[in-house]
Amino acid sequence: MSDSELTPQPDPSAETSRLDRIEARLAALEDRIAGAGAALPPPRDADPAPAAAASTTAAPPPGSPAFLEPLTDFVRNNPVLSLIGAIVVLVVLSHLFG
């Protein structure tokens, strides 16, 4: 005989009743979430003036070269990559001058 024949098989009715209990708990949680969502006030529309001001890019400071504008945009939008790039540049410079 094989091991699969010797091991006791779980009772299908016990598994079904367990699944029914889980589904009942899930339905109760869904009802609670729906009730909590209905109790919240409707979301307010954000003021369009701050959103428009945030989306416009600031003018570069006077006297800065024009080629730095894309670099400043990249640094502003990708801070992690900028930090990694700065570390790489510092390591290269330390090897050149060290």
Side-chain angles (χ1 to χ4, degrees), residues 32-51:
R32 287 178 61 189
I33 291 171
L40 293 175
R44 289 184 277 162
D45 292 335
D47 295 333

Side-chain angles (χ1 to χ4, degrees), residues 22-59:
I22 292 172
E23 288 176 357
R25 287 183 197 161
L26 182 61
L29 286 173
E30 288 174 349
D31 291 341
R32 287 178 61 189
I33 291 171
L40 293 175
R44 289 184 277 162
D45 292 335
D47 295 333
S55 65
T56 59
T57 57

Side-chain angles (χ1 to χ4, degrees), residues 19-91:
L19 288 175
D20 289 340
R21 287 193 313 267
I22 292 172
E23 288 176 357
R25 287 183 197 161
L26 182 61
L29 286 173
E30 288 174 349
D31 291 341
R32 287 178 61 189
I33 291 171
L40 293 175
R44 289 184 277 162
D45 292 335
D47 295 333
S55 65
T56 59
T57 57
S64 65
F67 68 88
L68 287 180
E69 187 174 335
L71 180 64
T72 57
D73 288 339
F74 178 80
V75 170
R76 188 178 305 116
N77 294 329
N78 303 303
V80 174
L81 288 176
S82 301
L83 179 63
I84 292 170
I87 291 171
V88 168
V89 167
L90 289 175
V91 167

